[in-house]
Amino acid sequence: VRCVQETAIKSGQGLSNETLVRILVNRSKDAWDFLSCIGIDLTAVTQCGGHSISRTHRPKNVPVGVAVVSGLKKYIELQKKSAITIITRCEAKELIINENKTKVSGVIVSHEGKEMQIKASALILTTGGFGHDYSSDSLLRQYAPHLEHLPTTTGKQAVGAGVKMARKIGAELIHMNQVQVHPTGFVDPKDPNARTKFLAPELLRGAGGIMINEAGERFCNELGYRDYVSSQIIKCCRPRGEYPQAISVILLNQKGVLLFGPTLKFYLDKGFLKIFHSLDQVATHFSVSLQGLQKTILDYKNYAKNGSDPYGKTVFPSIFELNDTFYAGQITPVVHYTMGGIKIDDKARVLRMKEAESKNLSEPIIGLFGAGEVTGGVHGKNRLVGNSILECIVYGRIAGENAALFATCLLYTSDAADDTPCVDIGGRRIIKKK
């Protein structure tokens, strides 16, 4: 536990809220137990970029995100259907707050062409980050304009809607200029200039993949922090073909493929990776130096034998031979994650901006909670692989626990609600007692 906590704080480079990091790590076992209890397999363990030990849990046969989302969805549908109502195609527009901007009582949404209010004793924001925000009031342009030209791995829903709604009612924001550039987004040969790119997962490097430039040379510790690896690609690699940004080639052998697991087939089927039966084929296809590539393979084998290389790499999951079968594709740095967002406390309560500099402590906005990428403060300057889903589970559960506790207490202690029309959710309306 101490090792994982120290690594996360080191990765944050002095910006991480150490209390939030400590909670993240200390409750990670509870998060794993919860997911395992509802049938989500996380028994495979890997050491990935920036980690000092093998500690990233994942399924053996499917991507971890797919496993967690589909597993939770199935759990809700089978076990909690009577208690939870899911509304789709419903866009949140605005948070409902009192005149003093101290207490939230619901949200205004657009659903099936109509605007309506959903009243709630407590509200949890889990709307994600702003890595795909190219709108007229773009948060990406406002806080990290130097990255707006890069492609992104985030979906079109990652436009910072929750951050903007919370900011409008006076929520405090933190670390908004801290945007993570992931070193490996696949350059699709069929559409190299696509703005949205598939992530080349960290596990490709965790399973032993190496990265080379046009000279056939390695240029970094592939298991280093994401910001370091990204900066080395930009520094040591050049654009290729139609794509205007720096491109590297990622290379695995058969042992690495076995360590990665059967989900590699997805990337082969998509055309992001290709199979090559010789180094000569690799060099010809990607226009890299064969002589440089051969030297790189031999040097890498010697570094692995000696236990370290000139870039500080000490973990060598798979060793290459000149006559291996190779799996290779082109990758480029991409906007991947926004470390900044809404400021929360250790109970996942959203904090509001201080009204005066004399105030030393931020106060929570009553009834408003947040979890996941919509919030900031946990990861600081750089997020480690594995800590995003962990944050979602740990702080999602903390937010849920405290929102439920708050709403239950409110049910019996607060003033009666006003008579503003509201939507009946789940077939019932909670009437607050005096």
Side-chain angles (χ1 to χ4, degrees):
V1 170
R2 185 181 66 181
C3 176
V4 175
Q5 182 175 318
E6 289 175 351
T7 303
I9 291 172
K10 181 180 178 181
S11 174
Q13 300 176 44
L15 292 183
S16 299
N17 181 316
E18 295 193 14
T19 298
L20 298 183
V21 174
R22 185 176 66 252
I23 292 170
L24 178 78
V25 175
N26 287 342
R27 290 197 51 164
S28 60
K29 179 61 165 57
D30 291 339
W32 190 93
D33 288 342
F34 167 69
L35 295 177
S36 298
C37 193
I38 63 175
I40 298 173
D41 169 43
L42 297 171
T43 51
V45 184
T46 308
Q47 180 172 347
C48 292
H51 295 176
S52 55
I53 57 174
S54 297
R55 60 92 164 169
T56 301
H57 291 258
R58 60 181 176 86
K60 294 178 180 177
N61 298 317
V62 295
V64 62
V66 172
V68 171
V69 172
S70 61
L72 288 171
K73 183 173 182 287
K74 182 179 179 181
Y75 171 69
I76 290 171
E77 291 173 345
L78 294 179
Q79 305 292 331
K80 302 292 183 180
K81 192 172 183 179
S82 62
I84 298 174
T85 299
I86 299 175
I87 305 175
T88 58
R89 302 183 185 278
C90 184
E91 182 183 1
K93 293 287 190 179
E94 186 176 348
L95 301 177
I96 303 170
I97 194 165
N98 62 0
E99 290 185 5
N100 295 329
K101 292 190 175 183
T102 57
K103 181 180 177 183
V104 164
S105 59
V107 61
I108 298 172
V109 303
S110 176
H111 181 54
E112 295 180 347
K114 297 180 181 179
E115 194 169 277
M116 61 186 186
Q117 293 185 5
I118 297 178
K119 301 301 286 291
S121 302
L123 191 91
I124 304 174
L125 286 173
T126 57
T127 51
F130 53 92
H132 206 289
D133 187 8
Y134 303 114
S135 62
S136 58
D137 62 342
S138 167
L139 294 173
L140 193 61
R141 185 182 308 118
Q142 179 180 353
Y143 291 103
H146 60 293
L147 300 178
E148 194 182 12
H149 69 286
L150 290 178
T152 180
T153 60
T154 61
K156 292 183 179 180
Q157 76 283 352
V159 294
V163 176
K164 292 174 183 178
M165 286 190 294
R167 179 175 65 175
K168 186 175 180 180
I169 65 167
E172 186 173 355
L173 306 184
I174 185 172
H175 302 161
M176 289 294 288
N177 63 337
Q178 300 303 323
V179 176
Q180 183 170 80
V181 176
H182 195 290
T184 58
F186 278 119
V187 178
D188 187 348
K190 298 185 292 293
D191 189 9
N193 289 311
R195 187 150 207 179
T196 301
K197 298 195 180 302
F198 268 90
L199 180 68
E202 202 100 10
L203 184 56
L204 289 171
R205 289 174 285 135
I210 62 173
M211 297 189 302
I212 57 172
N213 58 20
E214 62 275 5
E217 299 169 344
R218 291 175 61 236
F219 47 84
C220 69
N221 173 3
E222 291 86 356
L223 296 180
Y225 290 131
R226 289 174 173 177
D227 53 352
Y228 153 76
V229 179
S230 295
S231 67
Q232 289 301 105
I233 292 174
I234 293 170
K235 176 182 177 182
C236 301
C237 301
R238 296 187 301 187
R240 291 168 176 264
E242 300 176 23
Y243 188 68
Q245 310 298 335
I247 287 179
S248 171
V249 173
I250 189 162
L251 192 69
L252 288 88
N253 62 3
Q254 191 63 43
K255 182 180 178 182
V257 169
L258 291 174
L259 288 172
F260 188 95
T263 54
L264 191 86
K265 184 177 183 298
F266 170 83
Y267 303 102
L268 289 167
D269 291 344
K270 283 283 187 181
F272 299 143
L273 292 173
K274 290 178 67 69
I275 301 174
F276 301 91
H277 298 289
S278 69
L279 274 182
D280 183 70
Q281 289 181 353
V282 175
T284 300
H285 184 82
F286 293 109
S287 299
V288 302
S289 166
L290 176 59
Q291 184 178 0
L293 189 52
Q294 289 170 333
K295 183 177 185 303
T296 291
I297 296 298
L298 294 174
D299 286 347
Y300 191 75
K301 186 176 180 179
N302 287 329
Y303 297 146
K305 182 179 179 180
N306 295 328
S308 65
D309 74 358
Y311 306 107
K313 190 171 188 175
T314 58
V315 177
F316 301 86
S318 56
I319 312 304
F320 291 82
E321 301 288 348
L322 291 175
N323 61 349
D324 276 340
T325 295
F326 299 95
Y327 298 72
Q330 294 187 120
I331 53 90
T332 190
V334 283
V335 170
H336 180 59
Y337 189 89
T338 48
M339 278 79 71
I342 303 163
K343 190 174 183 178
I344 59 170
D345 65 7
D346 58 354
K347 294 179 175 61
R349 298 179 297 186
V350 172
L351 303 176
R352 63 191 177 104
M353 290 184 290
K354 302 169 188 174
E355 295 178 359
E357 290 298 324
S358 59
K359 283 194 172 185
N360 294 322
L361 298 175
S362 300
E363 297 176 346
I365 297 174
I366 299 171
L368 186 60
F369 301 81
E373 195 176 354
V374 72
T375 66
V378 174
H379 307 293
K381 195 173 180 64
N382 184 62
R383 177 180 69 76
L384 287 175
V385 59
N387 281 3
S388 176
I389 289 179
L390 178 62
E391 178 193 20
C392 289
I393 303 300
V394 168
Y395 279 99
R397 285 165 60 78
I398 290 172
E401 291 163 3
N402 287 300
L405 181 63
F406 173 79
T408 302
C409 294
L410 198 63
L411 181 64
Y412 296 104
T413 61
S414 71
D415 292 336
D418 60 35
D419 56 2
T420 303
C422 64
V423 177
D424 187 17
I425 297 298
R428 64 190 179 91
R429 179 194 295 264
I430 294 179
I431 304 298
K432 298 176 185 176
K433 307 292 185 180
K434 286 188 177 181

